[in-house]
Amino acid sequence: MTKSAIRVSEIFGPTVQGEGALIGKPTVFVRTGGCDFRCRWCDTLYAVLPEYRNDWAAMEPGDILSRVEQLTDGNPVLVTLSGGNPAIQPLGELIALGKARRHRFAMETQGSVADDWFAALDWLVLSPKPPSSGMSTDWTAFDACIAAAARGPRTVLKVAVFDDADYAYARDAAARYPALPFYLSVGNHTPGEPHPAGRDGVDQAGLLARFRWLVDKVARDRWFAATVLPQLHVLAWGNERGV
């Protein structure tokens, strides 16, 4: 494996972004393998746990871009860098090659690892993990991610909310970074394993009820600066992998 090689779990699309600031935007996903977190409710364990390492391909940036362009028939597209935690991969060369071909790049990360190439992104979605994840936030590392992005990408915050403690955490995070747009995402409480048939095992009624609960809390608190969104991909495709 060369220094420029990237561990890739899957490349899929074109589809639409299912959550956050770019929800509904046509995109191709490049999902990397490996993560420095172990969230209790992670719905992409196949891109996180080391026992799946043999399923990840070590790909050079040019080969990843060739696959993206096969999927788009050569048309420029928004490339979403996901994981796992894509920030632990050497993605700078991929972004530079892709932007030279008129692609744009968005990345979502928990904000635990910073790198200079963050500044080359078009969108940086920082998604710190709330108490229900079982993880803690290193705000010094998080600040380093914001500093690494500088004035390059549009940087936004997104927190998945499962319960009252998560909601309080999100309020605190928003107060910490008042200048950044803030998105609340309803957590998927039935992630399970990816199902080939898609919607199996997903509590759709529960997801919609949690969305209404979150909207009601934001409205009661007059938190009008926040944007509340469902997980569109879960509602549409359940836990199906690669859509």
Side-chain angles (χ1 to χ4, degrees), residues 38-52 56 192-194:
R38 295 293 183 269
C39 297
R40 289 175 182 148
W41 33 251
C42 179
D43 58 0
T44 56
L45 289 174
Y46 58 89
V48 169
L49 298 179
E51 51 261 42
Y52 292 96
W56 306 336
E193 290 293 324

Side-chain angles (χ1 to χ4, degrees), residues 60-148:
E60 294 296 326
D63 295 329
I64 294 173
L65 201 56
S66 292
R67 178 56 183 154
V68 169
E69 291 179 344
Q70 285 176 1
L71 293 171
T72 67
D73 295 327
N75 292 292
V77 72
L78 173 69
V79 178
T80 298
L81 304 170
S82 185
N85 183 6
I88 66 176
Q89 300 291 333
L91 298 176
E93 185 177 341
L94 172 64
I95 295 169
L97 287 173
K99 294 188 84 168
R101 301 189 195 181
R102 297 188 296 125
H103 299 292
R104 291 173 299 146
F105 287 84
M107 182 181 72
E108 179 172 330
T109 177
Q110 58 261 41
S112 56
V113 177
D115 207 304
D116 291 344
W117 52 258
F118 283 18
L121 293 161
D122 295 285
W123 289 81
L124 174 61
V125 180
L126 292 171
S127 183
K129 304 309 178 189
S132 64
S133 71
M135 304 303 298
S136 60
T137 302
D138 180 343
W139 292 110
T140 299
F142 199 86
D143 289 343
C145 291
I146 295 175

Side-chain angles (χ1 to χ4, degrees), residues 18 25-26 28 83 85 91 104 118 135 144 150-151 165 168 188 203 210:
K25 185 70 178 176
V28 169
N85 183 6
L91 298 176
R104 291 173 299 146
F118 283 18
M135 304 303 298
R151 297 183 180 273
N188 177 11
D203 179 11
R210 180 171 283 127

Side-chain angles (χ1 to χ4, degrees), residues 1 14 16 18 29 58-59 72-73 91 101 127-128 161 170 197 203 215 223 233 240 243:
M1 182 170 174
V16 295
F29 281 86
M59 299 182 67
T72 67
D73 295 327
L91 298 176
R101 301 189 195 181
S127 183
V161 175
D203 179 11
V215 170
W223 188 10
H233 56 297
E240 186 174 358
V243 294

